[in-house]
Amino acid sequence: MDEEPERTKRWEGGYERTWEILKEDDSGSLKATIEDILFKAKRKRLYEHHGQVRLGMMRHLYVVVDGSRTMEDQDLKPNRLTCTLKLLEYFVEEYFDQNPISQIGLIVTKSKRAEKMTELSGNSKKHVTALKKAVDMTCSGEPSLYNSLNLAMQALKHMPGHTSREILVVFSSLTTCDPANIYDLIKCLKAVKIRVSVIGLSAEVRVCSVLAQETGGTYHVILDESHYKELLMHHVSPPPASSSSECSLIRMGFPQHTIASMSDQDAKPSFSMAQLENSSEPGLTLGGYFCPQCRAKYCELPVECKICGLTLVSAPHLARSYHHLFPLDTFQEIPLEEYQGERYCQGCQGEMKDQNVFVCKVCQNAFCVECDLFIHDSLHCCPGCVHKHPAPVPV
């Protein structure tokens, strides 16, 4: 475990003349160079695309937030804590948009302890509310990486084998106060197949590097707020599914939203199961989603039934997760000068003005860089292929 790949530190490298990237054209303008830099920035996320790799469809993720006194530092505005909580609110919304049948939980660590802010849940409102309340939290003491990971592991190790088990640590401190040997815990995390990734807010810490390396996660240290947001967004998409992960049929219920008429004399208002644990939820209501197995009532989906344990989802939730099993292949990048076809985008119908066009390998339709990004990040299917093979019309 002590072995670590050789890596040149930034201060050990040669002197970088970053200004030499900018080059003037014949007219003395920097426009072409700046456009090239912006183009490469847009394409960066797709260069890191997993390609035709099956991704995890159901995820269980715990986010560990450092609540130590270092979170009061003001290198991020207004301070590290406020900036982190704002970015996490956005992360939670994006996470459930891309992974609607997955779950997330929040843990905070400070004063050598770790405690859960929220349990694992598929309710994004619950997590966002907890993050908004945490803005007033007092940052104190040192974090405990051991206690945080152990708390998350106790919940995740009981999750079914067909789901991915992940922990994301947002770590601000350069120290951790642990009650036992953390390297033994790392072996346990690896044994139960929990993937731990770390985002550092200060500098690289060796224990975090070893933790991520041994469990198959990633470890990055932020440069600024925009880089911080970019690193968080890397964890919105599921990691590649492990070849050893179990494949099994999962029982799911698809309840329809039903509401009784006010004029119906037999209609009786009732509480939802969410009301039992959260008083802020709506009280007595006439309608809701009823579990097809035990008839327990819920106000929103997806949710795991508290009575019979059945996973309740809607068909659109399942459809939005399906693309992770069969990701859309990366389009072929061709310089505009070499492209022989029509010079307009099949997506937005606009004229091709970028230096490259992006051609689908199946239907051979060409797209601009903006449409290419939209197709791979949001749509997850090629419009040209869909148009070529329309869905059969029901008789």
Side-chain angles (χ1 to χ4, degrees), residues 95-127:
Y95 177 87
F96 283 112
D97 183 61
Q98 293 292 322
N99 309 273
I101 59 173
S102 297
Q103 295 187 356
I104 202 171
L106 301 172
I107 292 173
V108 65
T109 174
K110 60 178 181 176
S111 302
K112 306 169 191 173
R113 291 181 172 82
E115 60 181 31
K116 289 181 183 176
M117 289 167 66
T118 58
E119 295 283 351
L120 276 174
S121 166
N123 186 346
S124 63
K125 293 177 186 174
K126 180 179 175 182
H127 303 303

Side-chain angles (χ1 to χ4, degrees), residues 143-393:
S144 176
L145 201 53
Y146 184 99
N147 288 336
S148 307
L149 295 173
N150 190 44
L151 185 62
M153 185 180 74
Q154 297 309 316
L156 290 174
K157 69 181 181 181
H158 301 297
M159 293 299 133
H162 58 262
T163 67
S164 69
R165 306 163 186 172
E166 304 165 55
I167 301 173
L168 173 61
V169 183
V170 177
F171 203 62
S172 170
S173 177
L174 294 174
T175 60
T176 172
C177 186
D178 299 329
N181 187 350
I182 195 166
Y183 291 99
D184 293 337
L185 182 66
I186 292 172
K187 289 177 184 174
C188 294
L189 289 164
K190 187 177 180 181
V192 293
K193 298 175 183 174
I194 294 177
R195 183 179 189 266
V196 185
S197 297
V198 185
I199 296 176
L201 305 189
S202 297
E204 186 172 320
V205 180
R206 176 167 169 75
V207 70
C208 295
S209 181
V210 173
L211 172 64
Q213 184 187 334
E214 288 294 314
T215 59
T218 58
Y219 180 35
H220 295 98
V221 178
I222 67 166
L223 301 173
D224 51 33
E225 188 175 335
S226 61
H227 185 232
Y228 189 2
K229 184 177 180 180
E230 187 181 316
L231 291 177
L232 272 175
M233 290 305 107
H234 280 310
H235 297 281
V236 167
S237 296
S242 170
S243 57
S244 60
S245 62
E246 298 175 17
C247 294
S248 58
L249 295 172
I250 309 160
R251 286 175 61 85
M252 284 188 174
F254 297 88
Q256 291 186 335
H257 189 269
T258 56
I259 186 162
S261 171
M262 293 294 287
S263 59
D264 186 0
Q265 294 182 351
D266 295 330
K268 295 177 182 177
S270 59
F271 288 103
S272 74
M273 295 304 294
Q275 173 69 23
L276 299 178
E277 64 173 20
N278 189 356
S279 58
S280 65
E281 293 288 331
L284 290 164
T285 54
L286 285 170
Y289 297 97
F290 292 89
C291 174
Q293 192 161 271
C294 67
R295 303 303 296 166
K297 188 173 96 171
Y298 296 90
C299 291
E300 56 186 23
L301 301 177
V303 70
E304 186 175 304
C305 181
K306 298 182 186 303
I307 306 299
C308 63
L310 188 68
T311 302
L312 305 178
V313 297
S314 65
H317 285 145
L318 207 56
R320 277 166 49 203
S321 302
Y322 185 71
H323 69 264
H324 293 314
L325 293 179
F326 304 100
L328 182 64
D329 205 359
T330 309
F331 290 169
Q332 185 180 358
E333 192 171 343
I334 301 173
L336 187 59
E337 297 81 17
E338 297 176 16
Y339 181 62
Q340 302 297 323
E342 296 176 330
R343 298 294 180 93
Y344 66 89
C345 172
Q346 292 290 339
C348 62
Q349 300 298 309
E351 185 184 352
M352 296 284 195
K353 295 180 180 177
D354 295 307
Q355 51 190 322
N356 291 341
V357 297
F358 303 91
V359 179
C360 174
K361 296 172 185 175
V362 180
C363 66
Q364 298 300 311
N365 280 320
F367 300 91
C368 65
V369 63
E370 298 292 347
C371 288
D372 181 40
L373 286 169
F374 174 71
I375 289 167
H376 284 90
D377 284 351
S378 302
L379 205 57
H380 303 294
C381 60
C382 171
C385 295
V386 173
H387 182 68
K388 198 172 182 180
H389 304 287
V393 180

